[in-house]
């Protein structure tokens, strides 16, 4: 304590207390009540789920969260024998458990998992060689150029890139014009039914309660840097990969306070050895059967809350 502060303290202590004005005194005297415990209100499952969903979900620009609608085909590159089969089978099993169809053997992969000792070079080479597969050039299909640059520059042990597409829920056709598609032209007979719009036909009902467009995942590319992931077990790494394969997870999400496998590479966070009940609840909420309703944060949180209350039995890693 400085000499000035010490001198001020001594001077204040030496002063006589100022007389109190009886008219300004509080007439209510404190009363001590024994045996009373005040507890804060416990958050509901939905209240806990909403901030989690908001933090981790990273949909395409100006779009709601997407999910897989088509059958998924998983392929693992640069991993040998049993380890490769385990990773592919585990991701496929998680996909099946949330209600997705899984293709096997000779299918065209839409979930591609590549392991490498130089993820920086692989990310740059892939984007340079197949940029159109990363950026479709239409609204609601990806997170944009800045996010793609971050994907290429990431130093994370695992990085990923999702491509989604807004489609009509009845026809499955894209509701945005994709590069290479011919511009729309009116048919000579005029427009009398959705099919007259060809590729752009969309069934729309007069309701503000139902969303007649949904966002479907088309492809995800996941790159695992084996050097940066050194010391990570195959089971926990695979469950981490399964989460980012099935949902548009924000690579910059701050989730240290949640019990999730997504904390696998979070500094200072305690991570579980495999996907937790909370992780399964999130995926179940995302893949709820309410296909006509919004896939926004509230809908996913509702599904999570139901799952937390009455959890299904997820498959454990073998």
């Amino acid at each position: 304590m400085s000499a000035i502060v010490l001198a001020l303290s001594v001077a204040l202590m030496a002063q006589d207390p100022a007389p109190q004005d009886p008219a300004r005194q509080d007439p209510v005297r404190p009363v001590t009540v024994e045996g009373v415990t005040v507890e804060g209100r416990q958050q509901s499952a939905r209240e806990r789920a909403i901030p989690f969903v908001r933090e981790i979900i990273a949909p395409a620009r100006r779009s709601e969260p997407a999910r897989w609608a088509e059958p998924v085909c998983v392929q693992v590159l640069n991993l040998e024998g049993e380890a490769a089969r385990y990773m592919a089978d585990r991701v496929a099993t998680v996909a099946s458990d949330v209600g997705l169809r899984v293709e096997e053997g000779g299918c065209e992969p839409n979930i591609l998992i590549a392991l490498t000792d130089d993820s920086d070079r692989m990310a740059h080479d892939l984007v340079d060689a197949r940029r159109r597969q990363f950026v479709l050039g239409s609204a609601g299909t990806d997170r944009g150029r800045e996010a793609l640059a971050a994907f290429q520059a990431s130093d994370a042990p695992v990085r990923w890139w999702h491509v989604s597409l807004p489609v009509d829920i009845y026809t499955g056709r894209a509701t945005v014009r994709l590069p290479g598609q011919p511009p729309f032209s009116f048919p000579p007979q005029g427009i009398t039914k959705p099919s007259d719009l060809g590729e752009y036909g969309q069934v729309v009902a007069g309701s503000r309660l139902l969303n007649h467009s949904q966002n479907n995942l088309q492809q995800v590319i996941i790159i695992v840097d084996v050097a940066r992931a050194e010391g990570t077990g195959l089971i926990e790494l695979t469950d981490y990969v399964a989460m980012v394969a099935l949902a548009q997870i924000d690579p910059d999400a701050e989730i240290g306070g949640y019990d999730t496998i997504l904390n696998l590479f979070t500094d200072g966070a305690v991570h579980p050895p495999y996907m937790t009940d909370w992780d399964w609840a999130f995926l179940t909420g995302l893949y709820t059967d309410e296909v006509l309703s919004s896939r926004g944060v509230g809908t996913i949180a509702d599904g999570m809350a139901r799952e937390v209350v009455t959890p299904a039995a997820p498959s454990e890693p073998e």
Side-chain angles (χ1 to χ4, degrees):
M1 183 179 293
S2 68
I4 295 176
V5 174
L6 180 60
L8 286 173
S9 300
V10 172
L12 289 173
M13 293 174 62
Q15 292 178 357
D16 293 331
Q20 295 183 345
D21 184 356
R24 300 183 61 183
Q25 292 182 2
D26 189 349
V28 180
R29 296 181 179 276
V31 177
T32 301
V33 180
E34 297 181 357
V36 176
T37 303
V38 179
E39 296 181 351
R41 184 180 67 86
Q42 186 175 7
Q43 283 187 314
S44 67
R46 187 179 190 276
E47 289 173 328
R48 288 185 286 119
I50 285 178
F52 176 76
V53 177
R54 283 177 176 163
E55 182 64 31
I56 71 167
I57 206 72
R61 294 172 300 169
R62 300 183 299 277
S63 184
E64 290 187 344
R67 66 180 186 179
W68 293 103
E70 298 296 325
V72 297
C73 176
V74 184
Q75 183 173 355
V76 179
L77 301 177
N78 301 335
L79 191 62
E80 297 180 354
E82 291 298 325
R85 279 190 289 274
Y86 172 81
M87 181 171 284
D89 289 347
R90 175 60 177 168
V91 174
T93 298
V94 174
S96 178
D97 284 350
V98 297
L100 296 175
R101 290 180 296 163
V102 179
E103 292 186 339
E104 300 178 359
C107 56
E108 186 70 22
N110 48 18
I111 297 178
L112 183 62
I113 307 163
L115 289 87
T116 176
D117 57 2
D118 191 350
S119 59
D120 297 336
R121 180 177 180 180
M122 175 176 280
H124 281 89
D125 288 350
L126 283 174
V127 174
D128 290 344
R130 301 180 178 272
R131 190 174 186 85
R132 184 56 66 189
Q133 294 187 8
F134 286 84
V135 180
L136 298 185
S138 297
T141 57
D142 59 73
R143 296 182 61 209
R145 298 183 184 278
E146 290 185 5
L148 184 60
F151 166 80
Q152 293 175 275
S154 173
D155 61 356
V158 182
R159 68 182 85 184
W160 54 88
W161 184 259
H162 296 90
V163 174
S164 58
L165 186 65
V167 302
D168 182 84
I169 61 174
Y170 299 107
T171 66
R173 295 173 178 166
T175 59
V176 295
R177 181 172 173 243
L178 298 173
Q181 280 187 320
F184 172 74
S185 59
F186 284 91
Q189 73 277 12
I191 299 174
T192 59
K193 55 186 182 299
S195 60
D196 291 336
L197 295 172
E199 293 275 335
Y200 307 96
Q202 188 176 175
V203 178
V204 178
S207 172
R208 295 183 179 181
L209 300 178
L210 301 180
N211 183 1
H212 296 273
S213 177
Q214 65 186 27
N215 301 297
N216 292 344
L217 288 172
Q218 304 296 305
Q219 175 182 278
V220 59
I221 296 175
I222 302 170
I223 302 177
V224 179
D225 191 300
V226 294
R228 293 170 180 164
E230 185 178 6
T232 306
L234 178 63
I235 291 177
E236 56 191 358
L237 176 63
T238 299
D239 273 22
Y240 182 94
V241 167
M243 284 287 288
V244 302
L246 299 181
Q248 296 166 303
I249 303 298
D250 187 345
D252 299 320
E254 297 182 0
I255 47 177
Y258 294 95
D259 183 25
T260 170
I261 190 62
L262 295 174
N263 278 321
L264 180 59
F265 301 110
T266 300
D267 292 338
V270 177
H271 64 80
Y274 41 77
M275 287 174 58
T276 65
D277 291 343
W278 190 251
D279 294 323
W280 282 103
F282 167 74
L283 289 178
T284 302
L286 177 63
Y287 285 91
T288 178
D289 290 334
E290 298 172 0
V291 293
L292 291 182
S293 65
S294 167
R295 287 183 187 165
V297 170
T299 302
I300 299 173
D302 287 339
M304 285 188 70
R306 288 193 296 270
E307 183 67 12
V308 169
V309 173
T310 56
S315 61
E316 296 294 338
E318 299 178 356

